[in-house]
Structure formats: structure tokens, C-alpha cells
Amino acid sequence: MARALLIVLDSVGCGGAADAGAYGDAGSDTLGHIAEACADGRGDRAGLRGGPLRLPNLVRLGLAQACEASTGRPLAGIAKPASPEGRWGYGVEVSQGKDTPSGHWEIAGCPVSFQRGYFTATENSFPPELVAGIVKQGALPGILGNRHAPGTVIVAELGAEHIRTGKPICYTSVDSVLQIAAHEEHFGLDRLYALCKTVRGLVDPLHIGRVIARPFIGSAEEGFTRTGNRKDFAIPPPQETILDRLTAQGRAIVTIGKIGDIFAHRSTGTEIKPFGNAAMVDAALEAWDGLPDGGFCFVNLVDFDTEFGHRRDIPGYAAALEAFDRRLPHLEAALKVGDIAVITADHGNDPSWPGTDHTREHVPILAFGPGIGSAPLGRRESFADIAASLGTFLGIGPVGPGRPW
């Protein structure tokens, strides 16, 4: 039986969403603006990278065609091949929002049909009764933050006070999320996880998508650094996903990165959670080597989003894309006849855009493998077309409302 490898390049959008204006994102284009910046020198950083964006393997598979089909503009500084080696197209999100769970659930065949809850106030973001519940049930002296903020900024600002007072740092963003940052040693990692689990129950009536534990280490003198022990406490998808269907049929599943957290650890098989894109690709290759026929490997590469998109770091984002592109031939070589691989994204996070939040964008879809051939997939009217197509390919039938290609 066939095997399938699904890789989500977290936040690597390709612009063009028709409803982006409703999210304040009209004109955003993660890949397009990175390519433009690299072409005119804004993507240069000494010791890291320089010059036009170089993604020869992704472009060979059809990335340039997918981006141009989405936006109507070529990728600056990149020559597209006359005939790509893979199948290429782009996906349009039908779920509300521009968050990670909504994008991944839709990719897996479960578009979000309900309205998530949000903390819209930029200051004093959390309702007083919620704050009181967190303090009481968490046995805390209080909380710090209580506002919209980038994680690295608020930790740098409040880390020392957190250590002195024992109060965790609680913050949010335009996403449906409540994040809690605490020092691994002074507060304790297990205590942070337990607190987040408690808060998960408190925000369920508010329909908040995720509570995220954001542990860090360091000191005021040396600076604070977030660790790889992040953990998401998410609500589960409301309907069947491709993971559920595969699990019901006894198929082998390996999920890498934060996939387990995103799907509330439901039907996520063997979960592997290394730290950093490079380690996740290594883990995918190792898992793939032992994956039996009919198996499914689902990977999220989060660094694009957390390390570079939210930090509005164009050179860093470009370098991370180029680093993944260099690993792509290793992934291709691991595919045997009958296998398929799909590369896509869950939303955008344009590093040239104002603010620090995700951007509402289309996502590229590249499908490849021995015997898959080259063909345009065109505009896919839902990310759910991916689950429908992979379900058909794996012999379990289309999953969700999508249309197989």
C-alpha cells in the first residue's frame, strides 16, 4: 500500500487571500515579500545569507508557479521552470481566522465552522473573573502581563519580576490563544504544565482555541531564552480528520513537531517532538525509514513562524527557507514507488508586515513522489482538498468536505 508524507511549513503563505482585508492583511504575501526583500538586498545579513532567495528544489517542484497563480505576480529574483517536476497549486482557507489549529484541522479534512473566542482588548485582555479563577485555582500570588504582546518581548520585560514575585506571565494576541510564560527552574516546568491544564478548563466556556505553555530559562543579567519545552493545550477537532480515519483502520501514524498538541493528541499515533526545523526533518527521515506500507507521517516545521515570522525577521526567514530547500532532496530520495509527499502551509506570517501576528493568505500545495508526475492542481477552494486527496491515495476514501485532485 501507498505511504504519505505531509509537511506543513508553518506560516509559509503565498499571499492573495480575497478576504484578507477583513483581517487587516490586504496585500500581505509571505513568500512574495521575502523574495522581493532578498532581491533588493533587505534579506542580506552578514554571516547568514545574501542575495536573491534561493529555493531551487522547491521551485523545481512548482513553487514559483503556485505563488504566481495565487497572486498574479512572479516571485522576484526567481526563474520558474517551464515544466515543474511535481504537481503544484494553492489552497484557499474556508475556516474563520488565521491560526495554526484552524489551518491544520482544515488540511486534515475538518474546516472550522464555528467562531472561536478571542481576547480583543490589547490591555487588560482577560476578563476579571478569568484572572481570579487562574489565581485561585492555580494557587498563585497573581499574574503579570494580561495584554497582547510578542512572547520574546514580554518575557524580556517581565522575566525578572516573574522570578521575584512567582507570578506567571500571561499574554495573548489576535489569535484565539492564552499563553503562559514561566521560568523552568524558578517556577517549574511540571507546575507550568499543570497550570496550563487548569486554565484550559477555565477558558473552555470562552471557546479559546489554545492555552500554550511558554517555558524559558536565563536571568535578567544574561537575558532570557525560550526553550523547546513549549506545550499546547488545544480543544480537539469537532469532526473526523484523516488522522481519525487512519487510526480507525489500524494504519501506522507518526506525527512530528506540534501536530500532537494541535490535534489534542487524538489519533496522533507515535508523537515525536524535537526542537528546531533541522531536528524535525531528521526525525521525519528516521520515522519514514521505518514506516510500514499504508502509513502516514504528518510533520509541522514551526521555526518559520515562531522564530522568524512573528519576529519580523526577513533574513532569518529567508535563511530558514533555504535550509529546508537544501534538505528536500534527502526527503525525495527516501520516497519509494507508490509513496507521495505533500508540502503546504497553514496560514501566512509575512515578516515584512506591520505588527507581529499571522497574516490571512493562500498556501502553496506541492505534491511529488516517484510516478506522481507533473500537473497543475490549480486553485483549491479549501485546504481540505489535501485530506480528500491523501485519503483517496491511501485507500481509505476521501476525508472531509474537500475535493480530491
Side-chain angles (χ1 to χ4, degrees):
M1 290 187 288
R3 301 182 299 170
L5 172 63
L6 175 56
I7 301 175
V8 177
L9 308 183
D10 202 307
S11 86
V12 183
C14 58
D19 60 355
Y23 298 83
D25 297 330
S28 61
D29 182 0
T30 299
L31 279 166
H33 288 157
I34 292 172
E36 288 177 5
C38 290
D40 65 21
R42 290 178 290 121
D44 295 354
R45 179 175 295 158
L48 180 67
R49 70 161 314 280
L53 186 63
R54 292 179 291 273
L55 304 175
N57 296 300
L58 287 164
V59 169
R60 172 171 52 81
L61 294 173
L63 180 65
Q65 275 88 347
C67 290
E68 187 168 344
S70 170
T71 66
R73 301 182 304 275
L75 283 176
I78 293 178
K80 63 182 181 183
S83 179
E85 296 179 12
R87 298 188 184 188
W88 54 271
Y90 66 95
V92 179
E93 186 169 15
V94 299
S95 301
Q96 299 183 52
K98 50 181 179 177
D99 56 274
T100 291
S102 295
H104 280 76
W105 292 2
E106 188 168 328
I107 289 167
C110 179
V112 177
S113 58
F114 59 88
Q115 179 65 49
R116 296 184 186 273
Y118 298 88
F119 300 112
T120 55
T122 56
E123 298 288 340
N124 296 315
S125 301
F126 308 126
E129 58 273 20
L130 174 59
V131 174
I134 293 171
V135 171
K136 181 179 180 179
Q137 295 193 32
L140 300 169
I143 67 169
L144 301 174
N146 192 5
R147 65 177 185 266
H148 283 224
T152 53
V153 173
I154 201 168
V155 166
E157 179 185 340
L158 298 176
E161 186 178 355
H162 157 70
I163 292 172
R164 179 176 59 82
T165 63
K167 299 176 181 179
I169 304 167
C170 299
Y171 62 103
T172 188
S173 69
V174 296
D175 291 333
S176 182
V177 65
L178 193 160
Q179 305 197 64
I180 306 177
H183 199 283
E184 285 195 1
E185 298 165 359
H186 293 277
F187 192 87
L189 186 60
D190 289 341
R191 185 184 176 200
L192 174 59
Y193 290 161
L195 175 62
C196 288
K197 187 174 181 179
T198 296
V199 174
R200 172 71 269 170
L202 292 173
V203 299
D204 278 348
L206 304 177
H207 306 293
I208 301 301
R210 288 179 293 167
V211 175
I212 304 179
R214 288 289 198 174
F216 61 93
I217 56 174
S219 65
E221 295 75 22
E222 298 176 357
F224 298 109
T225 303
R226 294 197 301 196
T227 74
N229 292 320
R230 164 184 170 160
K231 190 171 184 179
D232 295 32
F233 297 79
I235 56 176
Q239 289 147 5
E240 182 189 46
T241 71
I242 191 171
L243 294 167
D244 297 319
R245 180 82 62 85
L246 287 165
T247 296
Q249 298 203 11
R251 300 291 186 91
I253 297 172
V254 178
T255 53
I256 296 172
K258 63 179 185 177
I259 299 297
D261 291 341
I262 293 168
F263 288 88
H265 308 283
R266 191 182 82 195
S267 301
T268 47
T270 300
E271 296 183 8
I272 305 171
K273 199 172 184 181
F275 183 54
N277 280 359
M280 290 182 197
V281 173
D282 289 340
L285 286 166
E286 183 176 353
W288 188 257
D289 186 56
L291 191 70
D293 287 352
F296 181 55
C297 184
F298 194 175
V299 185
N300 171 278
L301 300 182
V302 72
D303 286 2
F304 302 112
D305 186 56
T306 58
E307 298 300 315
F308 310 112
H310 286 300
R311 300 186 188 191
R312 297 304 191 247
D313 181 354
I314 293 174
Y317 207 135
L321 287 167
E322 291 169 340
F324 173 73
D325 189 83
R326 290 192 292 271
R327 300 299 303 277
L328 192 49
H330 300 281
L331 292 167
E332 290 181 275
L335 303 176
K336 64 182 183 181
V337 174
D339 293 339
I340 188 172
V342 172
I343 294 173
T344 189
D346 53 342
H347 50 72
N349 200 345
D350 188 337
S352 73
W353 209 245
T356 61
D357 297 313
H358 295 157
T359 43
R360 176 78 169 182
E361 298 183 39
H362 298 155
V363 300
I365 301 174
L366 306 177
F368 56 97
I372 298 301
S374 172
L377 299 176
R379 173 187 169 103
R380 312 306 302 188
E381 297 298 338
S382 170
F383 296 179
D385 286 7
I386 295 172
S389 302
L390 290 179
T392 300
F393 187 86
L394 289 168
I396 61 170
V399 180
R403 180 174 59 87
W405 55 65

